[in-house]
Amino acid sequence: GFLGWGSPSIVDYFPSEDFYRCGYCKNESGSRSNGMWAHSMTVQDYQDLIDRGWRRSGKYVYKPVMNQTCCPQYTIRCRPLQFQPSKSHKKVLKKMLKFLAKGEVPKGSCEDEPIDSTMDDAVAGDFALINKLDIQCDLKTLSDDVKESLESEGKNSKKEEPHELLQAQDSVGEKLGSGEPSHSVKVHTVPKPGKGADLSKPPCRKAKEIRKERKRLKRMQQNPAGEIEGFQAQGHPPSLFPPKAKSNQPKSLEDLIFESLPENASHKLEVRLVPASFEDPEFKSSFSQSFSLYVKYQVAIHQDLPDECGKTEFTRFLCSSPLEAETPPNGPDCGYGSFHQQYWLDGKIIAVGVIDILPNCVSSVYLYYDPDYSFLSLGVYSALREIAFTRQLHEKTSQLSYYYMGFYIHSCPKMKYKGQYRPSDLLCPETYVWVPIEQCLPSLENSKYCRFNQDPEAVFHKRAIMPYGVYKKQQKDPSEEAAVLQYASLVGQKCSERMLLFRN
């Protein structure tokens, strides 16, 4: 049933008919996806949809046709409760602390990971498709705000026809996988030349680090009891932990993020969580500054033209959300729904992370930031903050324990960085079972499209029978029935029973 007490999800479904320009490989007719326009959606329905490979961009919810699209997009989630920051992650966090404490600006660019290192794939290749669906989707009876948005774009909608809402009373199908990583043997493979680091192996260590380790071990063999004295002699402060704790307990993510700053720190950074709603006074008062930052980012980083970054586009893709805000007593204090996580540096916004807080996860939608602060690697920094935020929410809401990073695209080098946030899982596109990324990489090296879960017991839920009675009898077009059945198979049994399908 529903988590909250609001109205059920209402969607308009559009089966895939054409290929569109791909935002990753730039193929003019390579991208293909099925889509829904969500008039409204419960957070539980969206949670179930992203666990079947769907993703939203504004109110448009889409699912790539994985075995046909040029760049297959696999849903990826990180497991924050087991997450340990890598060496490059720690460098980014220390760089931020040095900047805040002393105003230090690093020389040269950060080479650890792409600076634009967040989930900006959400709207990368679907502008043309979404704009087309905006025209097709006649929302007059349901959504005046979308109608006004279309009129402001100077587009004509279809002639109004009678509308119907369909809800499945029942559906028949095999039970899907549990959603937990399947148990299988880890397979290590050497990457092909030019394909980047082998993610199935631990990160490389510098020769200097290895020499230090050898020296320390030699000193321990000569004087096992003098390990701490040896460190103190080199000017290190005395350890607060016994020797064992020092070597076995690295600093946690929270320790690295929230390390105390001196009273005379050069800068002050504040992260504010604001509901993505014009009814929220804080969102409304910061909208103008947030929008200006978005334009600056799109023009500088993505080379968009300024007239392509209007308030209508910004509102449609990053402010409008179909998710109904819910604040159940057992949920997080901030409630569920769509939010902007604003990064305020010395009183001005330098970055905004658009996120959805759902029953089981924090889902990253997009990040835009001030290009003048690219030296702080804000993409990596914001992702680490969002992982820490997920851990914080988990303390009160135990089932909220994952961080969804959007899509992992192995065939696109720019998008492979997401695999560096470990441990993480990829969603099998056929069985909808989560599989540890290390087990998926060997298959992806051989083929862009793969079924990860090889368990023969897992069955892909391909058909759903929807007894929508009267509506079905009135329809004589066989393609209409095929479209409804396709919709039911893609959204899954639970969602097809709960959600209302809006038809012309």
Side-chain angles (χ1 to χ4, degrees):
F2 301 113
L3 270 183
W5 310 271
S7 59
S9 302
I10 301 176
V11 298
D12 231 325
Y13 175 63
F14 298 95
S16 173
E17 294 173 357
D18 302 308
F19 286 85
Y20 297 89
R21 184 176 186 274
C22 176
Y24 307 107
C25 69
K26 311 306 178 188
N27 184 331
E28 289 299 325
S29 58
S31 177
R32 191 170 199 185
S33 62
N34 294 294
M36 297 186 287
W37 189 271
H39 303 271
S40 66
M41 185 166 284
T42 66
V43 290
Q44 183 62 59
D45 282 340
Y46 186 56
Q47 176 71 66
D48 290 340
L49 286 173
I50 62 173
D51 284 333
R52 292 180 68 87
W54 293 80
R55 181 155 167 77
R56 81 172 183 88
S57 177
K59 290 189 172 184
Y60 177 66
V61 189
Y62 65 102
K63 175 178 167 65
V65 182
M66 294 287 282
N67 59 351
Q68 295 180 30
T69 196
C70 55
C71 297
Q73 299 154 59
Y74 299 92
T75 303
I76 182 170
R77 73 177 187 186
C78 171
R79 285 178 255 150
L81 306 188
Q82 293 84 39
F83 175 79
Q84 285 295 332
S86 68
K87 187 179 177 184
S88 66
H89 294 153
K90 289 176 183 176
K91 280 174 72 175
V92 170
L93 295 174
K94 286 174 184 174
K95 184 166 58 176
M96 176 64 84
L97 288 171
K98 284 180 181 177
F99 173 72
L100 296 175
K102 304 174 186 176
E104 279 188 27
V105 176
K107 294 176 183 177
S109 61
C110 175
E111 298 176 358
D112 299 321
E113 294 185 45
I115 288 174
D116 187 13
S117 182
T118 41
M119 323 316 161
D120 63 340
D121 51 319
V123 294
D126 290 278
F127 284 100
L129 177 58
I130 296 168
N131 287 335
K132 180 183 175 186
L133 295 184
D134 261 354
I135 298 165
Q136 286 182 357
C137 191
D138 182 9
L139 310 181
K140 290 177 190 173
T141 56
L142 285 172
S143 180
D144 291 334
D145 62 317
V146 177
K147 176 188 171 188
E148 287 166 13
S149 172
L150 291 178
E151 286 172 353
S152 70
E153 295 286 306
K155 295 173 181 174
N156 298 317
S157 60
K158 284 168 59 178
K159 185 179 177 183
E160 189 171 1
E161 296 172 11
H163 305 296
E164 300 211 27
L165 293 170
L166 308 181
Q167 184 173 23
Q169 304 300 318
D170 186 19
S171 58
V172 179
E174 299 293 330
K175 189 176 179 182
L176 298 173
S178 65
E180 291 307 307
S182 59
H183 300 285
S184 54
V185 181
K186 288 186 181 179
V187 182
H188 299 292
T189 182
V190 179
K192 295 175 184 175
K195 292 288 185 181
D198 184 354
L199 299 182
S200 62
K201 292 182 179 177
C204 294
R205 298 170 66 196
K206 288 185 178 178
K208 185 179 176 183
E209 189 183 336
I210 294 168
R211 286 197 301 272
K212 274 186 178 178
E213 183 70 16
R214 284 180 186 155
K215 195 174 178 182
R216 190 180 70 82
L217 290 170
K218 189 176 179 182
R219 192 164 55 240
M220 283 177 67
Q221 287 171 351
Q222 291 170 349
N223 181 19
E227 186 189 1
I228 295 178
E229 287 87 332
F231 275 103
Q232 289 177 5
Q234 294 176 39
H236 290 269
S239 173
L240 299 175
F241 303 99
K244 231 176 193 180
K246 185 176 178 72
S247 59
N248 293 341
Q249 295 291 328
K251 277 189 174 181
S252 71
L253 178 61
E254 289 76 12
D255 291 337
L256 292 164
I257 291 174
F258 301 111
E259 191 169 307
S260 58
L261 294 170
E263 287 184 18
N264 61 342
S266 299
H267 301 284
K268 181 186 176 185
L269 179 70
E270 183 186 358
V271 180
R272 301 179 191 170
L273 185 71
V274 181
S277 167
F278 287 101
E279 294 177 7
D280 182 83
E282 202 170 347
F283 181 83
K284 206 170 178 180
S285 65
S286 61
F287 177 83
S288 180
Q289 190 181 161
S290 185
F291 168 64
S292 298
L293 178 64
Y294 164 77
V295 175
K296 186 177 181 181
Y297 168 81
Q298 292 294 128
V299 171
I301 303 297
H302 293 291
Q303 288 78 52
D304 286 0
L305 298 172
D307 60 358
E308 294 175 331
C309 313
K311 282 189 179 177
T312 302
E313 287 78 16
F314 174 65
T315 302
R316 178 185 294 160
F317 289 105
L318 298 176
C319 302
S320 295
S321 169
L323 301 184
E324 301 290 342
E326 296 180 17
T327 52
N330 60 339
D333 293 336
C334 58
Y336 299 117
S338 298
F339 298 83
H340 282 197
Q341 202 158 39
Q342 301 172 339
Y343 293 76
W344 291 77
L345 181 71
D346 303 331
K348 75 168 186 174
I349 303 175
I350 63 162
V352 177
V354 183
I355 60 172
D356 294 329
I357 300 178
L358 304 173
N360 299 338
C361 72
V362 169
S363 174
S364 183
V365 177
Y366 201 69
L367 175 93
Y368 53 98
Y369 57 83
D370 190 333
D372 295 343
Y373 294 90
S374 290
F375 62 85
L376 289 174
S377 304
L378 290 169
V380 181
Y381 182 78
S382 65
L384 295 171
R385 290 290 301 240
E386 287 170 7
I387 289 171
F389 180 54
T390 306
R391 284 153 66 133
Q392 179 191 329
L393 295 179
H394 171 78
E395 289 178 9
K396 187 194 174 189
T397 309
S398 59
Q399 74 272 20
L400 204 163
S401 53
Y402 295 103
Y403 174 58
Y404 284 49
M405 297 180 281
F407 288 135
Y408 174 84
I409 304 166
H410 193 74
S411 56
C412 178
K414 184 186 171 187
M415 303 306 296
K416 286 170 72 172
Y417 71 87
K418 295 181 184 182
Q420 298 287 357
Y421 295 85
R422 300 291 185 89
S424 57
D425 309 307
L426 297 184
L427 185 68
C428 176
E430 295 187 13
T431 63
Y432 303 126
V433 168
W434 292 99
V435 181
I437 193 169
E438 297 88 345
Q439 297 172 21
C440 305
L441 295 176
S443 301
L444 288 171
E445 286 295 329
N446 296 322
S447 173
K448 287 197 294 186
Y449 173 74
C450 303
R451 168 181 167 141
F452 301 133
N453 178 24
Q454 302 304 329
D455 181 1
E457 297 295 318
V459 179
F460 180 28
H461 184 86
K462 283 184 175 172
R463 295 182 181 179
I465 300 167
M466 297 179 66
Y468 52 105
V470 177
Y471 178 79
K472 183 178 176 182
K473 289 175 185 175
Q474 290 174 351
Q475 291 298 316
K476 295 179 182 178
D477 182 0
S479 66
E480 171 64 11
E481 182 179 359
V484 173
L485 292 175
Q486 183 189 52
Y487 154 83
S489 72
L490 292 172
V491 303
Q493 181 172 340
K494 286 189 284 189
C495 284
S496 67
E497 288 177 357
R498 285 197 306 252
M499 290 165 44
L500 296 177
L501 175 61
F502 182 77
R503 307 301 286 169
N504 281 340

